[in-house]
């Protein structure tokens, strides 16, 4: 009989963890939107454009393209660490924003050279700004267009291919000689 109770408690615990993972995973103090906003340097709505996948268990890192700034600004698309370990060990407060193309409202703090950091306790969440956030910040400021990505490697590759093609044509012309292009007259 005692074994059934232990198994029952274990099954119930696992079911609660499966049903409410955010509540069991993060140990965040409940605060107001205004309190969370005071802690953030930038609050922005936008889209996850890239995720960094690793084979080892590590905190997440994403590329994020802003669409609307509710507080503060930053230039263009940025890298965002999803936990306090900045891409290191997984923690109980890592933010779960791992899907490319998904929209999020992120509460960010600077992490150095055009990188930012958020976590599950900061106020970040999936989707558009909530009604409370819109009341506090208004609709926000539209982000300027993102500069195109650096195409220097692509341009250098194209120049190298063109140079190889020209060198090959000159080689064939010089060493193939006129016999290749002789014609017979009738």
């Amino acid at each position: 009989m005692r074994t059934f109770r232990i198994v029952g408690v274990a099954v119930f615990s696992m079911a609660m963890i499966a049903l409410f993972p955010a509540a069991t995973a993060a140990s965040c103090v409940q605060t107001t939107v205004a309190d969370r906003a005071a802690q953030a340097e930038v609050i922005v709505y936008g889209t996850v454009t890239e995720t960094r996948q690793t084979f080892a268990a590590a905190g997440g890192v994403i590329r994020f393209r802003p669409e609307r700034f509710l507080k503060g600004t930053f230039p263009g698309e940025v890298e965002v660490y999803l936990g306090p370990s900045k891409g290191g060990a997984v923690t109980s407060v890592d933010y779960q924003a791992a899907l490319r193309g998904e929209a999020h409202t992120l509460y960010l703090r600077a992490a150095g050279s055009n990188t930012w950091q958020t976590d599950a306790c900061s106020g970040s969440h999936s989707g558009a700004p909530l009604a409370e956030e819109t009341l506090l910040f208004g609709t926000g400021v539209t982000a300027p267009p993102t500069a195109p990505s650096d195409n220097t490697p692509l341009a250098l590759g194209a120049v190298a291919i063109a140079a190889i093609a020209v060198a090959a044509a000159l080689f064939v012309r010089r060493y193939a000689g006129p016999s290749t292009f002789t014609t017979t007259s009738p």
Side-chain angles (χ1 to χ4, degrees):
M1 193 62 138
R2 182 180 165 104
T3 305
F4 286 118
R5 285 185 186 164
I6 293 172
V7 170
V9 169
V11 168
F12 178 76
S13 298
M14 296 304 288
M16 291 298 105
I17 289 171
L19 291 173
F20 305 106
T24 59
S27 54
C28 304
V29 174
Q30 297 301 314
T31 58
T32 66
V33 171
D35 291 338
R36 292 188 299 264
Q39 297 296 313
E41 294 173 50
V42 174
I43 302 173
V44 60
Y45 169 74
T47 306
V48 175
T49 58
E50 182 182 329
T51 60
R52 183 183 301 165
Q53 301 295 321
T54 61
F55 291 107
V61 182
I62 61 171
R63 297 274 317 154
F64 189 77
R65 184 181 60 241
E67 294 176 27
R68 226 175 338 142
F69 290 100
L70 302 176
K71 175 185 175 184
T73 62
F74 53 73
E77 191 171 300
V78 295
E79 186 170 77
V80 177
Y81 296 109
L82 302 179
S85 66
K86 297 181 183 169
V90 176
T91 70
S92 65
V93 294
D94 283 0
Y95 180 67
Q96 303 300 315
L99 296 176
R100 185 180 199 177
E102 195 171 68
H104 289 265
T105 300
L106 299 181
Y107 286 62
L108 303 171
R109 292 175 304 284
S113 76
N114 206 31
T115 61
W116 297 84
Q117 174 183 332
T118 191
D119 58 53
C121 300
S122 68
S124 294
H125 58 85
S126 62
L130 303 172
E132 296 176 81
E133 293 165 330
T134 303
L135 283 173
L136 187 61
F137 304 113
T139 57
V141 178
T142 303
T146 304
S149 59
D150 184 14
N151 290 326
T152 303
L154 182 61
L156 291 175
V159 168
I161 291 171
I164 291 169
V166 167
L170 291 174
F171 180 81
V172 168
R173 183 172 179 193
R174 179 176 180 135
Y175 292 106
S179 63
T180 307
F181 299 107
T182 57
T183 58
T184 56
S185 55

